[in-house]
């Protein structure tokens, strides 16, 4: 039996005499090679690193994680562990705020935001495990099922690889919405983008939703021209047509495109999402709980979107987002990202089944996120 499987040390009835506190924090990084070379419009990679955080209170352990550089683990150990050790395990937002204040002089975006996010996720998992509840029950459910979309279609794939992956989602798992990467070589091979979009439509047929993600590769005018082609192929989601830092450019493309324009995965703090919405830059903001400040901030970003009359989409790391996604009324979907799904299936027990295009967080009754780390299987990837 692992620490994650241990009996909860508290209960929803408040039987515990002393308030549980965070006793210890452990962190480790695991680098997993991709199953094939992967790339998008602006980056290529052959491995992905998961940084795992475990926080313990008594005999109960919560886990959280982020994706990023292995150096993120050093941030947790050197900047955050002391901040949260000894704090109440009940008050996750207070711990989140304390971490954010503690990193003022070292810079919050990037690695540090990822570290804060992983610790925050672990703290929410811990609290739910102490109470013996699935996290969605602790947060309060708005829905029983969460829609997902198959995501991959890397620019490095050949025609056969792309077709096989798309058909696997649509025909094999019944997922009725899928996404491919475009913008290859910073938009310099637009002809191949168009060919791959056309082939994707042929692979999935006319009834499946088709999405594309340029990862900020295009210029503003180029993105507008591509958007006209996307309309002909009935593409309904155009992600990061230009840089997510170019809010004015996103707004220009949004005004010209029939597809919904999406961005926000590089939002490292709540004010970014306010700026994104104030600029009328997106039809559907994306937020990534492994970057933006954890589940605490992800829920706040969802509330900002709801106040603006918009839905929100969860970016990557689907098993981190599942329970929080089920707790918000304005969710559009989660990204069932090939790279992260493969890693999460490899390193965790308790992963969810996307058959039919939805997952059901909390349905098993397992406490917290419902995940158990496969320590022995993961050891070969530890860095």
């Amino acid at each position: 039996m692992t620490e994650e499987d241990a009996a909860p040390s508290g209960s929803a009835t408040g039987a515990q005499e002393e308030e549980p506190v965070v006793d210890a924090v452990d962190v480790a990084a695991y680098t997993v090679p991709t199953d094939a070379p992967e790339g998008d419009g602006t980056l290529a990679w052959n491995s992905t690193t998961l940084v795992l955080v475990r926080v313990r209170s008594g005999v109960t352990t919560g886990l959280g994680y982020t994706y990023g550089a292995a150096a993120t683990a050093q941030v947790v150990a050197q900047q955050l562990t002391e901040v949260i050790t000894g704090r109440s395990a009940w008050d996750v937002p207070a711990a989140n705020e304390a971490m954010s204040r503690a990193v003022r002089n070292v810079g919050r975006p990037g690695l540090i935001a990822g570290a804060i996010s992983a610790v925050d996720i672990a703290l929410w998992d811990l609290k739910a495990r102490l109470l013996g509840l699935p996290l969605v029950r602790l947060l309060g459910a708005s829905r029983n099922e969460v829609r997902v979309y198959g995501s991959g279609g890397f620019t490095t794939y050949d025609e056969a690889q792309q077709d096989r992956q798309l058909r696997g989602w649509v025909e094999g798992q019944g997922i009725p919405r899928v996404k491919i990467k475009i913008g290859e070589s910073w938009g310099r091979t637009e002809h191949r983008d168009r060919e791959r979009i056309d082939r994707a439509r042929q692979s999935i047929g006319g009834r499946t939703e088709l999405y594309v993600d340029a990862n900020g590769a295009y210029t503003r005018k180029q993105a507008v021209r591509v958007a006209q082609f996307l309309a002909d192929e009935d593409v309904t989601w155009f992600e990061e047509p230009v840089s997510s830092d170019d809010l004015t450019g996103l707004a220009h493309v949004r005004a010209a495109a029939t597809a919904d324009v999406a961005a926000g995965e590089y939002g490292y703090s709540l004010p970014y999402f306010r700026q994104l919405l104030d600029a009328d830059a997106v039809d559907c903001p994306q937020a990534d709980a492994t970057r933006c400040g954890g589940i605490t901030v992800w829920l706040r970003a969802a509330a900002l979107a709801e106040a603006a009359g918009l839905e929100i989409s969860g970016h990557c790391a689907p098993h981190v987002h599942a329970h929080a996604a089920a707790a918000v009324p304005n969710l559009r979907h989660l990204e069932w990202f090939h790279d992260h799904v493969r890693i999460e299936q490899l390193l965790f027990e308790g992963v969810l089944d996307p058959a039919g295009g939805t997952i059901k967080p909390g349905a098993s009754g397992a406490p917290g996120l419902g995940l158990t780390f496969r320590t022995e299987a993961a050891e070969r990837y530890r860095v």
Side-chain angles (χ1 to χ4, degrees):
M1 177 179 290
T2 67
E3 287 180 328
E4 288 87 355
D5 296 322
S9 62
S11 71
T13 61
Q16 192 176 29
E17 293 183 1
E18 296 183 0
E19 182 174 279
V21 299
V22 177
D23 295 317
V25 181
D26 296 312
V27 61
Y30 302 86
T31 297
V32 181
T34 58
D35 57 359
E38 295 179 358
D40 56 36
T42 57
L43 191 68
W45 61 96
N46 56 23
S47 65
T48 299
T49 298
L50 180 146
V51 178
L52 179 77
V53 173
R54 285 181 276 202
V55 291
R56 180 173 58 80
S57 178
V59 298
T60 304
T61 299
L63 63 83
Y65 57 92
T66 187
Y67 292 98
T72 308
Q74 298 176 26
V75 177
V76 174
Q78 297 172 13
Q79 303 289 335
L80 304 179
T81 294
E82 186 176 349
V83 176
I84 67 165
T85 301
R87 284 186 170 272
S88 168
W90 297 143
D91 301 328
V92 183
N96 188 290
E97 181 66 15
M99 289 189 288
S100 293
R101 293 184 179 187
V103 301
R104 186 195 70 182
N105 284 350
V106 291
R108 193 180 190 284
L111 294 181
I112 291 177
I116 291 172
S117 300
V119 175
D120 179 271
I121 294 160
L123 289 170
W124 278 110
D125 187 52
L126 173 65
K127 181 175 181 178
R129 289 175 188 268
L130 286 167
L131 294 169
L133 293 172
L135 181 55
V136 66
R137 295 295 304 278
L138 173 61
L139 298 175
S142 287
R143 67 190 71 243
N144 295 323
E145 296 183 336
V146 170
R147 297 196 304 172
V148 300
Y149 66 90
S151 172
F154 302 108
T155 58
T156 46
Y157 281 2
D158 61 24
E159 184 175 348
Q161 285 175 299
Q162 176 177 295
D163 179 73
R164 185 165 56 249
Q165 186 180 68
L166 293 174
R167 290 183 185 275
W169 288 322
V170 177
E171 298 173 6
Q173 295 180 299
I175 300 175
R177 56 197 79 87
V178 297
K179 185 176 79 179
I180 68 169
K181 301 287 192 179
I182 60 172
E184 183 179 352
S185 301
W186 287 91
R188 290 191 291 269
T189 58
E190 188 181 320
H191 64 282
R192 185 168 187 260
D193 293 338
R194 293 171 182 254
E195 291 170 356
R196 292 179 56 249
I197 293 166
D198 181 66
R199 287 198 297 268
R201 177 53 74 192
Q202 294 178 38
S203 295
I204 66 176
R207 302 183 67 178
T208 299
E209 292 182 60
L210 179 58
Y211 302 165
V212 298
D213 182 359
N215 287 99
Y218 294 136
T219 65
R220 295 179 183 181
K221 286 293 183 70
Q222 185 181 22
V224 170
R225 291 193 298 270
V226 171
Q228 295 169 350
F229 175 78
L230 298 181
D232 294 336
E233 294 286 353
D234 194 25
V235 173
T236 54
W237 175 275
F238 194 2
E239 186 173 331
E240 284 195 317
V242 297
S243 170
S244 58
D245 292 327
D246 182 9
L247 303 187
T248 301
L250 286 170
H252 286 174
V253 178
R254 182 190 182 199
T258 58
D260 283 355
V261 169
E265 65 188 71
Y266 297 110
Y268 294 111
S269 64
L270 192 62
Y272 173 84
F273 295 100
R274 170 66 184 271
Q275 295 161 10
L276 189 71
L277 297 174
D278 284 351
D280 289 328
V282 293
D283 295 287
C284 183
Q286 298 168 283
D288 188 329
T290 72
R291 293 174 177 167
C292 71
I295 290 170
T296 298
V297 179
W298 194 91
L299 293 171
R300 294 171 183 169
L304 277 179
E306 183 182 8
L310 299 177
E311 295 176 311
I312 192 167
S313 179
H315 173 262
C316 290
H319 291 91
V320 159
H321 289 98
H323 291 254
V328 299
N330 60 320
L331 179 81
R332 181 172 298 195
H333 44 41
L334 295 183
E335 183 171 11
W336 197 253
F337 182 52
H338 170 74
D339 195 20
H340 292 179
V341 167
R342 191 177 66 87
I343 291 172
E344 289 165 15
Q345 290 174 340
L346 178 67
L347 299 185
F348 297 104
E349 295 177 8
V351 294
L352 299 167
D353 181 1
T358 63
I359 53 177
K360 301 175 178 62
S364 70
L369 295 171
L371 300 175
T372 301
F373 189 64
R374 293 175 168 169
T375 304
E376 291 185 11
E379 192 58 34
R380 61 182 293 193
Y381 304 110
R382 185 163 180 164
V383 296

